[in-house]
Amino acid sequence: MDNRKLGQLEVSPIGMGCMGFSHGYGQVPPEAYAIEAIRKAYDYGCTHFDTAEAYGKEQFYAGHNEELVGKAIEPFRKEVVLATKFHIGELPQPDETSLYREMRRHLEDSMSRLRTDYYLHRINETVRLEDVATVMGRLVKEGLIRGWGLSQVSANQIRTAHEITPLSAVQNIYSMVERDCETEIFPVCLEKGIGVVPFSPIASGFLSGKVTAQEQFGFDDVRKFVPQLSKENIEANRPILDLLHRFAVEKNATNAQISLAWMLHKYPNVVPIPGSKNQERILENLGAWNVTLSDDEFRQLQSALDECKVHGHRGCVETE
């Protein structure tokens, strides 16, 4: 497998979303299991791990996931790229000075748990994006971060921010059933040399084919809010699963691996971060970088996918 670039940062072609060890997919596994999973992913070749300061605040406390990831990667910290995210709250005086203090506080809190690269987790309309980009540039110059990114943003917001302080990555939703990014996000990121880090690249498990219409999601399981995972839409979107299964059989792979191999073939700047709390699924997802589609196979898959109607569009891109 060949590494890919997020701006100037070199990472494995598939990363690992670590949220599920603290929040989002129901009951979390024991900490020792989670740490072992992260270390197994690294041993397999994964060098990009994604977290956020908010992951875990529902079941534990803010920063729980960062602490867990920090413990797991301690033996090989210098060999990996970490990405965390924060959200700027309401500021009494949202000028550049107060914004710097607030962002520096978030950064120092995160760095007490792990040394990391940085995303802004959604846009706060009360704070000017231009000011955020300026402060990020200052943090880069100070050597506190190696790069920065934006999450769930529009193409215009990417252009605005990148002109002030070059972005390493943009993290938006993208998968076979959520393809809005293809219209504007990928073109502008390819033009500017920005990596695209899709979250939910397997559509919260739908594209794996392992989520059934009878699935019962618990109180802390975000999948109950995913449109494609309603009983009706699982059945309605079955042609997409059948298509994936056909290619999976031909390629001696799994549905999830085909869905990831599809986007890796399609865009040279894409680095998906599938998330799971199951060690077997984590290694299966990473194994997608060993599944190679020929140009002809990709065209067949893309053509058939274009013929499939998606039921239950999700969408998460903020508009201006």
Side-chain angles (χ1 to χ4, degrees), residues 110-242:
S110 287
M111 290 181 71
S112 70
R113 300 181 281 263
L114 47 78
R115 292 186 177 274
T116 183
D117 308 295
Y118 233 39
Y119 287 103
L120 179 62
H121 205 175
R122 300 174 183 266
I123 296 295
N124 183 336
E125 298 299 338
T126 66
V127 178
R128 293 178 71 246
L129 179 57
E130 293 88 340
D131 292 338
V132 171
T134 299
V135 172
M136 285 294 189
R138 182 175 171 182
L139 295 173
V140 171
K141 288 178 181 178
E142 291 174 350
L144 294 174
I145 58 175
R146 295 169 61 196
W148 78 292
L150 293 169
S151 180
Q152 304 186 176
V153 287
S154 68
N156 285 337
Q157 289 168 332
I158 293 169
R159 292 188 185 95
T160 297
H162 188 76
E163 186 173 337
I164 298 169
T165 301
L167 289 157
S168 297
V170 167
Q171 186 179 130
N172 278 23
I173 190 170
Y174 180 64
S175 71
M176 281 185 160
V177 293
E178 297 289 346
R179 293 169 58 188
D180 292 351
C181 283
E182 295 180 352
T183 304
E184 295 186 345
I185 301 301
F186 274 103
V188 71
C189 287
L190 284 168
E191 175 192 344
K192 304 293 186 182
I194 303 168
V196 177
V197 179
F199 70 87
S200 198
I202 309 175
S204 298
F206 168 72
L207 294 172
S208 73
K210 294 181 172 67
V211 181
T212 69
Q214 287 70 45
E215 198 81 31
Q216 297 292 320
F217 299 115
F219 78 97
D220 185 45
D221 198 319
V222 296
R223 291 174 294 180
K224 63 186 176 185
F225 301 112
V226 176
Q228 290 97 10
L229 297 185
S230 71
K231 179 179 179 180
E232 297 76 14
N233 288 333
I234 287 177
E235 295 299 334
N237 287 320
R238 185 151 299 281
I240 298 173
L241 298 182
D242 293 341

